Amino acid sequence: AAHGARKMVDYGRFLALLASALLVGFVSVILSLVWVFHYREGLSWDGGPAEFNWHPVLIITGFVFIQGIAIIVYRLPWTWKCSKLLMKFIHAGLNTIALILAIVSMVAVFEFHNAKNIPNMYSLHSWIGLAAVIFYSLQLFLGFAVFLLPFAPVYLRAALMPIHVYSGLTIFAIVIATALMGITEKLIFSLKNPAYSAFPPEATLVNCLGLLLVIFGSLILWVASRPHWKRPREEHTKVLRPIGETPEGTEVESTMTHSSNADKSDLRINTEAARKQNLKFDDAGQRSTM
């Protein structure tokens, strides 16, 4: 009973963090829209400042908010009953949407700069931003090739998974850092009268937007880095677990090696369950380690 209560508290904590992250991310998107519509020239695709405005809006919507959700999508406990393959498609799909929005947002900046004869790619913001988009594209391509398509052997997936996770979280953090550089740069360029240093309302709004991006990133990274919120490796761990074993998420293989402590009938049930489980795994082509 105590274990069950602990589980419920943990689940409640997860839901509170998830709700906070979604709320902060959503408010960030709304604030970016308030910024460009209330204080700037709105949105259009005409080579003017309103075309540039697509850049912050799409970066915050796609590259920050949608990418953040894509990162934690495996950790939603109610998806653990879904097939791993379906979750991989959702993870890959959200990341693909984020990349498309990031690319469109960059096109907007280049078109605006070229129309106004402003030089491209001279600021640190632009260097790191472009690097983030390139590495994100590579990450997405490799993710598709290794984890989604059924050709990569299990040992390769197992070897690459920690790198995939590390790269994903690092790129996400870099994107947020780059967004902070970008909005600072934009405020310094745009706020002339009154100046940024005079602390006009627009400065307050956008500084708050930056704070929210940091909070959003922190919440996502926290949820993504808690080991006990990881998707269990096996749906049926309880059925397959031999007597005297407690860790949750044991793989079928480990069950088979530990079965010496189980009696013969248990072993037979385990083997049967494991065989069915393996068949199910192979059908879906999803021998992954996450």
Side-chain angles (χ1 to χ4, degrees):
H3 181 65
R6 252 202 331 273
K7 271 255 188 272
M8 286 310 294
V9 169
D10 200 46
Y11 184 57
R13 206 171 285 155
F14 176 83
L15 286 183
L17 279 166
L18 177 66
S20 308
L22 292 175
L23 181 67
V24 171
F26 184 69
V27 172
S28 302
V29 172
I30 298 299
L31 281 189
S32 73
L33 289 166
V34 170
W35 179 24
V36 303
F37 279 104
H38 187 67
Y39 292 104
R40 296 285 130 207
E41 299 76 9
L43 295 169
S44 72
W45 203 272
D46 56 3
E51 180 170 341
F52 172 88
N53 290 345
W54 281 107
H55 183 68
V57 169
L58 292 181
I59 288 292
I60 289 165
T61 306
F63 225 14
V64 177
F65 187 43
I66 296 174
Q67 185 187 171
I69 294 166
I71 285 172
I72 58 167
V73 83
Y74 287 112
R75 304 212 155 212
L76 311 175
W78 53 91
T79 67
W80 293 349
K81 296 270 184 284
C82 299
S83 91
K84 184 70 190 284
L85 193 62
L86 172 66
M87 295 316 297
K88 286 183 185 181
F89 271 111
I90 292 171
H91 177 71
L94 288 169
N95 280 306
T96 305
I97 293 166
L99 179 63
I100 291 165
L101 294 181
I103 289 169
V104 172
S105 85
M106 285 180 67
V107 171
V109 175
F110 281 107
E111 285 202 1
F112 167 69
H113 281 179
N114 296 341
K116 294 276 180 285
N117 288 323
I118 300 168
N120 287 306
M121 297 305 302
Y122 64 89
S123 70
L124 182 58
H125 167 73
S126 61
W127 286 22
I128 296 181
L130 183 63
V133 171
I134 290 167
F135 280 109
Y136 191 69
S137 311
L138 278 172
Q139 168 87 342
L140 192 62
F141 172 74
L142 282 170
F144 262 110
V146 175
F147 300 109
L148 198 53
L149 299 179
F151 310 118
V154 182
Y155 71 84
L156 182 66
R157 292 181 177 195
L160 289 181
M161 181 54 80
I163 299 168
H164 180 74
V165 172
Y166 171 80
S167 307
L169 295 177
T170 304
I171 292 166
F172 176 65
I174 290 169
V175 164
I176 288 178
T178 311
L180 299 177
M181 295 162 75
I183 60 182
T184 305
E185 201 176 286
K186 178 66 178 166
L187 287 175
I188 290 170
F189 286 157
S190 305
L191 290 174
K192 292 282 183 265
N193 199 4
Y196 192 4
S197 56
F199 215 61
E202 181 179 352
T204 311
L205 177 95
V206 181
N207 285 359
C208 288
L209 170 59
L211 278 174
L212 287 180
L213 296 181
V214 172
I215 294 166
F216 178 73
S218 309
L219 289 168
I220 294 293
L221 292 174
W222 178 259
V223 170
S225 59
R226 295 308 88 202
H228 55 283
W229 287 338
K230 201 173 172 180
R231 179 187 169 101
R233 284 166 129 184
E234 263 302 330
E235 276 99 41
H236 302 296
T237 41
K238 291 188 175 55
V239 181
L240 294 171
R241 207 161 57 223
I243 297 154
E245 271 235 307
T246 48
E248 294 209 336
T250 31
E251 278 283 73
V252 175
E253 288 87 334
S254 70
T255 306
M256 299 317 297
T257 53
H258 288 92
S259 49
S260 51
N261 22 352
D263 67 34
K264 288 286 180 283
S265 66
D266 263 336
L267 176 60
R268 201 165 55 247
I269 294 162
N270 280 350
T271 313
E272 186 61 20
R275 199 175 57 74
K276 282 190 186 139
Q277 198 57 33
N278 277 334
L279 281 173
K280 212 170 82 190
F281 263 33
D282 290 335
D283 280 350
Q286 50 184 23
R287 302 286 255 138
S288 137
T289 52
M290 181 121 170

